């Protein structure tokens, strides 16, 4: 997808009512594509996230010789060729678009291939740090060249087998952990990755389901090389990171009562619920079950006054993608909210700390940018403004929710980037919005 300069106008007012099934989980869809492609036989991905980011992973594996097709029900059917069945791409490079998950995870797979591949991304992805994956893969024996400063494009000359290593990652990152674990499948022994705080654990859950021998000890995960992966039917739950916009929208818009169906409440992802509850939110868990190895819950959210809170590094991996929308919630909360330990946000799809501070200030919020976070004083009434998403999907959606509760219209430039993770965002917002 090429991101157009399309803009959207959000007219304020209305409550969010009724129910919504937020889109399928982005992280799980990526991993289902990876593990299905490396399994021997046919897998089915039920309710995949058919959005730009996950399409990049599917396209990467098609280029590596894997058949991935959509059936009439909308499932993705992946015919895996086993761990050693990928083909050298005929194309000059694999294009990862805006997707850090695609680029970092596929690097782990390519490190174990007997050929060389070039990886490219869009402007945002080309500015994101890659040393965090290049370093461990180099230690495992891959030969990788990167643009000066260790940025994409990367060229990966694989090696088979890779050396099994024990990698102590300086960042808590599921992308790094997953990259090393995927490379570990091609290693000559047990590969271990340790992170400073536990990041989302979908890779561990899904590898175990596919029959990979894996041990998890809190912040350390070890994988045995050379397994044979079993094809699966993966059922993808709704993404809590997408649900987050509607959770906060319903809390902030007076008169709201919104049921969010089938949300993945994996304990490594549910930090937003914990923080919102500390802020005084009423979030009712209506029905919990386990689907596809992941906890799934219906969440009922009602409009409620909030109070400021402080949260930091400890909880950050559990809500890393939700900081922009939590910052918006904080502008409407009574008192001071301080978000610390969030320096990673500067190297996401954009520098999210800078853009969120700039955008919400423009709307009248009292928000200071800190080196590793934000300090917000609330409540402040917001006024409509002209904002730019900077091509960052999570900023576009945060600004849209801000526009709902602002006085006057909000215009968001580059609003099409919601396609990256939540293609139906604008329709869904209008569908559950009720003017009183
Ligand atoms: C993701 C991990 C997180 C998150 C990203 C998706 C994943 O990134 O921000 O949206 O699917 O592994 P980091 O691993 O860089 O923290």
């Amino acid at each position: 997808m090429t991101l157009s300069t399309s803009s959207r106008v959000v007219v304020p007012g209305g409550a969010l009512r009724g129910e919504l099934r937020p889109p399928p989980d982005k992280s799980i869809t990526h991993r289902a594509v990876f593990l299905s492609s490396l399994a021997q036989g046919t897998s089915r991905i039920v309710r995949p996230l058919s959005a730009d980011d996950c399409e990049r992973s599917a396209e990467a594996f098609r280029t590596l010789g894997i058949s991935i097709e959509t059936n009439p029900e909308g499932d993705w059917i992946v015919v895996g060729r086993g761990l050693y069945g990928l083909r050298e791409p005929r194309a000059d490079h694999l294009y990862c678009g805006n997707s850090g998950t695609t680029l970092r995870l596929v690097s782990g797979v390519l490190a174990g291939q007997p050929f060389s591949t070039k990886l490219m991304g869009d402007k945002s992805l080309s500015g994101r740090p890659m040393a965090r994956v290049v370093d461990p893969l180099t230690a495992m024996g891959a030969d990788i060249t990167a643009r000066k400063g260790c940025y994409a494009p990367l060229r990966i000359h694989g090696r088979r087998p890779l050396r099994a290593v024990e990698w102590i990652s300086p960042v808590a990152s599921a992308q790094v952990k997953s990259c090393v674990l995927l490379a570990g499948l091609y290693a000559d022994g047990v590969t271990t990755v340790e992170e400073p705080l536990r990041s989302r654990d979908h890779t561990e859950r899904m590898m175990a389901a596919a029959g990979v021998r894996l041990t998890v000890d809190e912040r350390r995960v070890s994988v045995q090389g050379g397994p044979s992966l079993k094809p699966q039917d993966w059922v993808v739950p709704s993404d809590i990171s997408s649900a987050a916009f509607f959770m906060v929208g319903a809390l902030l818009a007076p008169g709201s009562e919104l049921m969010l169906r089938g949300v993945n409440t994996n304990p490594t992802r549910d930090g937003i619920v914990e923080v919102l509850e500390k802020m005084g939110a009423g979030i009712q868990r209506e029905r919990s079950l386990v689907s596809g190895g992941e906890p799934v819950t219906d969440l009922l959210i009602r409009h409620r006054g909030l109070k400021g809170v402080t949260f930091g590094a400890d909880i950050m991996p559990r809500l890393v993608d939700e900081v922009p929308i939590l910052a918006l919630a904080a502008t409407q909360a009574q008192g001071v909210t301080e978000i610390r330990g969030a320096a990673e946000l500067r190297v996401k799809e954009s520098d999210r700390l800078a853009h969120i501070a700039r955008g919400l200030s423009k709307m009248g919020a009292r928000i200071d940018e800190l080196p590793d976070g934000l300090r917000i004083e609330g409540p402040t009434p917001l006024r409509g403004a002209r904002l730019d998403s900077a091509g960052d999907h999570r900023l576009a959606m945060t600004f849209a929710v801000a526009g709902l509760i602002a006085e006057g219209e909000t215009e968001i430039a580059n609003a099409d980037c919601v396609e990256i993770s939540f293609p139906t965002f604008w329709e869904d917002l209008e569908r559950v919005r009720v003017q009183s």
Side-chain angles (χ1 to χ4, degrees):
M1 184 185 77
T2 43
L3 294 176
S4 76
T5 52
S6 76
S7 60
R8 284 267 173 173
V9 173
V10 180
V11 178
L16 303 186
R17 297 186 67 87
E19 62 173 68
L20 180 73
R21 184 172 291 275
D25 192 278
K26 178 160 86 68
S27 293
I28 294 176
T29 304
H30 278 296
R31 285 156 175 79
V33 169
F34 274 74
L35 298 181
S36 302
S37 298
L38 302 179
Q40 186 72 56
T42 302
S43 292
R44 190 159 66 114
I45 308 178
V46 180
R47 203 172 165 254
L49 177 64
S50 188
D52 201 58
D53 244 42
C54 299
E55 297 282 359
R56 296 279 65 80
S57 285
E59 201 47 44
F61 279 98
R62 285 191 193 104
T63 311
L64 292 163
I66 302 296
S67 158
I68 304 181
E69 285 181 359
T70 306
N71 74 7
E73 288 76 46
D75 306 334
W76 288 357
I77 306 297
V78 184
V79 186
R81 293 166 45 90
L83 211 51
Y84 305 107
L86 299 180
R87 293 204 190 107
E88 180 169 2
R90 268 190 286 248
D92 169 68
H93 63 270
L94 301 189
Y95 183 62
C96 303
N98 192 249
S99 176
T101 310
T102 303
L103 199 150
R104 293 189 177 126
L105 268 60
V106 87
S107 298
V109 172
L110 294 173
Q113 304 306 316
F115 48 79
S116 135
T117 323
K118 185 176 177 190
L119 293 174
M120 298 190 70
D122 70 4
K123 189 162 169 262
S124 149
L125 186 52
S126 306
R128 297 181 66 186
M130 292 301 151
R132 53 184 65 196
V133 291
V134 169
D135 291 348
L137 297 177
T138 304
M140 293 176 84
D143 177 9
I144 305 181
T145 49
R147 193 163 54 79
K148 195 163 174 275
C150 210
Y151 295 103
L154 303 182
R155 179 165 282 281
I156 303 186
H157 305 269
R159 167 195 166 123
R160 186 172 287 171
L162 289 167
R163 267 192 302 273
V165 295
E166 181 177 339
W167 187 254
I168 314 281
S169 171
V171 276
S173 158
Q175 293 179 354
V176 172
K177 175 172 63 181
S178 305
C179 167
V180 176
L181 293 175
L182 285 162
L185 301 177
Y186 293 94
D188 57 359
V190 175
T191 298
T192 298
V193 55
E194 182 180 310
E195 46 185 353
L197 288 160
R198 189 164 188 200
S199 63
R200 65 190 66 188
D201 67 356
H202 308 301
T203 300
E204 296 91 301
R205 288 173 187 249
M206 295 172 74
M207 277 190 174
V212 174
R213 274 173 54 203
L214 184 105
T215 53
V216 181
D217 181 6
E218 269 304 301
R219 297 176 295 108
R220 282 169 74 81
V221 187
S222 302
V223 68
Q224 172 75 52
S228 149
L229 277 75
K230 295 189 294 263
Q232 303 288 305
D233 273 2
W234 306 105
V235 181
V236 185
S238 288
D239 197 323
I240 193 165
S241 299
S242 298
F245 301 102
F246 285 87
M247 274 183 210
V248 172
L251 282 166
L252 300 186
S256 295
E257 179 169 323
L258 185 65
M259 174 67 89
L260 297 171
R261 295 275 183 210
V263 179
N264 180 210
T265 43
N266 177 315
T268 61
R269 294 283 301 278
D270 66 352
I272 183 167
V273 176
E274 191 175 313
V275 168
L276 289 174
E277 284 181 334
K278 263 202 200 151
M279 294 176 86
I283 300 178
Q284 213 166 303
R285 293 161 182 76
E286 292 273 307
R287 194 178 57 112
S288 288
L289 50 94
V290 175
S291 167
E294 294 277 346
V296 169
T297 312
D298 291 346
L299 301 172
L300 180 68
I301 327 280
R302 290 195 182 90
H303 168 65
R304 182 81 76 85
L306 301 176
K307 58 178 191 289
V309 284
T310 294
F311 59 95
D314 287 2
I315 200 170
M316 204 45 63
R318 290 174 54 213
L319 50 68
V320 65
D321 293 334
E322 287 68 75
V323 169
I325 193 69
L326 283 169
L328 170 65
T331 68
Q332 302 309 300
Q334 189 76 47
V336 173
T337 292
E338 204 166 285
I339 306 175
R340 304 303 298 259
E344 267 294 299
L345 267 84
R346 297 205 182 273
V347 291
K348 292 290 179 191
E349 286 83 328
S350 71
D351 178 343
R352 287 185 173 156
L353 296 180
H355 285 289
I356 204 73
R358 198 175 308 149
L360 294 180
S361 299
K362 219 171 162 191
M363 298 182 83
R366 289 209 296 271
I367 177 165
D368 291 322
E369 195 182 330
L370 308 172
D372 67 338
L374 297 166
R375 185 179 184 282
I376 302 150
E377 245 181 277
T380 39
L382 299 182
R383 51 176 188 270
R386 297 182 73 168
L387 304 172
D388 190 345
S389 76
D392 184 329
H393 53 135
R394 303 209 194 275
L395 294 182
M397 293 185 273
T398 298
F399 293 151
V401 177
L404 280 186
I405 55 155
E407 201 185 305
E409 288 182 359
T410 295
E411 189 179 333
I412 305 166
N414 285 303
D416 268 6
C417 61
V418 301
E419 296 284 338
I420 287 164
S421 63
F422 200 156
T424 56
F425 176 77
W426 300 108
E427 292 96 281
D428 285 346
L429 186 59
E430 286 319 309
R431 200 165 53 72
V432 295
R433 191 162 167 193
V434 181
Q435 298 290 348
S436 44

